[in-house]
Amino acid sequence: MNTDLILVEREADIATVILNRPEKLNALVRPMWQRLGEVMRELSADDSLRCIVLRGAGDKSFAPGNDISEFAEARSDSRRAKAYGEIHHAALAALYECRHPMVALIQGICVGGGLEIAALCDLRICGVSSRFGAPINRLGLCMGLGEMQGLLTLVGKAVTLEILLEGRVFDAAEAFDKGLVTRVVDDERVIEEAYASARRIADGAPLVARWHKRFMRRLADTAPITEAEKDLGYACYDSEDFQIGYRSFLAKTKPEFKGR
């Protein structure tokens, strides 16, 4: 497998995951999905991390979706498409289950599979010239259940259906209005703003960030919440980070959280 298709960079407690096919605007192929899933599971298990930034290589595209030239061999019928889909869905599951906060740094095109990835991040920061959509109806393709879930959870049924039924590509201002992106900034400020956001997250208590993500996933489940699950909301009071946090607040100093 070509591990260069997904790059990982690390600066202190922030990791950057890069979709790396700039010559193809970072169009996604099967080895990229497989490696993305592996990388996200590895990073999720790393307790020294506080935040992950996901981005595309270069400044023209986050990702335009799957590389159509791969379809003739890899997705030419339902049997092959299902085998491909198992790898694709495993990567999306790894993104959804990641314990650490994730920030999507979006420059340029964020369409199809790229939109699926961005929708599973916790924050999405883009430039004013970014473009969004899922024009797969023009290919005679549907977005599968496992692929649609992140988008549906993010923006709801009405907007998800609008995006899929119309197959229209739209601008950053409309994406913001639809709730697809967290923040829109000038193109030249996207990198700066995304990493500033990641730093604010990383400076917070990491256990708290992980609990909040865990609680959010649980609240998406309609099953009744148990007493044990309710009690987990009080576990933070027994953490060393809580002692650090409230003492720093009283002393008017910056807390240095330990993640325990």
Side-chain angles (χ1 to χ4, degrees), residues 50 97 110 164 195 251 253 255:
R50 303 279 181 94
E97 294 164 3
C110 184
L164 294 176
Y195 281 101
T253 59

Side-chain angles (χ1 to χ4, degrees), residues 224-240:
I225 296 172
T226 66
E227 287 301 315
E229 288 172 327
K230 292 178 184 177
D231 288 345
L232 186 59
Y234 302 105
C236 57
Y237 291 94
D238 295 328
S239 69
E240 183 179 342

Side-chain angles (χ1 to χ4, degrees), residues 214-230:
R214 180 174 175 178
F215 296 162
M216 194 64 71
R217 286 194 296 268
R218 178 60 184 87
L219 288 169
D221 187 340
T222 58
I225 296 172
T226 66
E227 287 301 315
E229 288 172 327
K230 292 178 184 177

Side-chain angles (χ1 to χ4, degrees), residues 137-155:
N137 60 348
R138 303 174 196 174
L139 296 170
L141 295 177
C142 63
M143 186 178 285
L145 296 175
E147 301 155 43
M148 192 188 299
Q149 186 61 57
L151 190 58
L152 177 64
T153 301
L154 179 62
V155 297

Side-chain angles (χ1 to χ4, degrees), residues 9-259:
E9 298 176 352
R10 178 77 180 258
E11 185 173 346
D13 48 11
I14 297 173
T16 301
V17 175
I18 304 170
L19 308 174
N20 188 41
R21 287 186 81 210
E23 73 284 0
K24 296 291 185 179
L25 297 176
N26 307 315
L28 299 152
V29 290
R30 180 162 50 186
M32 290 178 77
W33 285 115
Q34 184 165 339
R35 183 59 185 152
L36 179 62
E38 293 169 352
V39 163
M40 294 309 302
R41 285 186 285 272
E42 291 165 5
L43 294 177
S44 181
D46 185 346
D47 284 341
S48 67
L49 269 181
R50 303 279 181 94
C51 189
I52 301 169
V53 175
L54 285 95
R55 62 170 299 176
D59 60 4
K60 293 181 174 59
S61 176
F62 182 83
N66 292 302
D67 191 332
I68 306 305
S69 67
E70 188 184 41
F71 280 31
E73 179 179 349
R75 302 173 80 173
S76 58
D77 56 36
S78 61
R79 180 181 60 83
R80 290 182 174 89
K82 182 177 180 180
Y84 189 112
E86 289 173 353
I87 295 170
H88 181 176
H89 296 168
L92 296 177
L95 287 161
Y96 176 74
E97 294 164 3
C98 182
R99 297 185 305 144
H100 307 299
M102 300 180 295
V103 176
L105 187 168
I106 301 169
Q107 296 173 290
I109 303 164
C110 184
V111 166
L115 186 59
E116 294 170 14
I117 292 170
L120 288 167
C121 292
D122 302 296
L123 280 75
R124 287 152 298 281
I125 297 171
C126 75
V128 293
S129 68
S130 294
R131 296 293 181 268
F132 300 85
I136 56 176
N137 60 348
R138 303 174 196 174
L139 296 170
L141 295 177
C142 63
M143 186 178 285
L145 296 175
E147 301 155 43
M148 192 188 299
Q149 186 61 57
L151 190 58
L152 177 64
T153 301
L154 179 62
V155 297
K157 177 181 175 181
V159 173
T160 298
L161 276 175
E162 177 193 357
I163 291 170
L164 294 176
L165 294 179
E166 288 192 345
R168 183 169 54 87
V169 175
F170 47 91
D171 64 19
E174 185 173 346
F176 181 78
D177 288 342
K178 292 182 184 304
L180 272 175
V181 296
T182 309
R183 202 169 303 144
V184 181
V185 299
D186 292 339
D187 289 338
E188 62 270 17
R189 291 188 54 238
V190 178
I191 295 174
E192 173 190 354
E193 183 62 27
Y195 281 101
S197 178
R199 175 43 55 200
R200 288 189 288 269
I201 292 168
D203 285 346
L207 293 178
V208 170
R210 293 171 202 161
W211 273 317
H212 281 156
K213 289 199 62 171
R214 180 174 175 178
F215 296 162
M216 194 64 71
R217 286 194 296 268
R218 178 60 184 87
L219 288 169
D221 187 340
T222 58
I225 296 172
T226 66
E227 287 301 315
E229 288 172 327
K230 292 178 184 177
D231 288 345
L232 186 59
Y234 302 105
C236 57
Y237 291 94
D238 295 328
S239 69
E240 183 179 342
D241 280 354
F242 170 63
Q243 299 295 324
I244 293 169
Y246 91 83
R247 288 173 181 168
S248 295
F249 181 85
L250 293 174
K252 296 182 173 57
T253 59
K254 182 180 178 180
E256 298 289 340
F257 293 112
K258 305 299 183 184

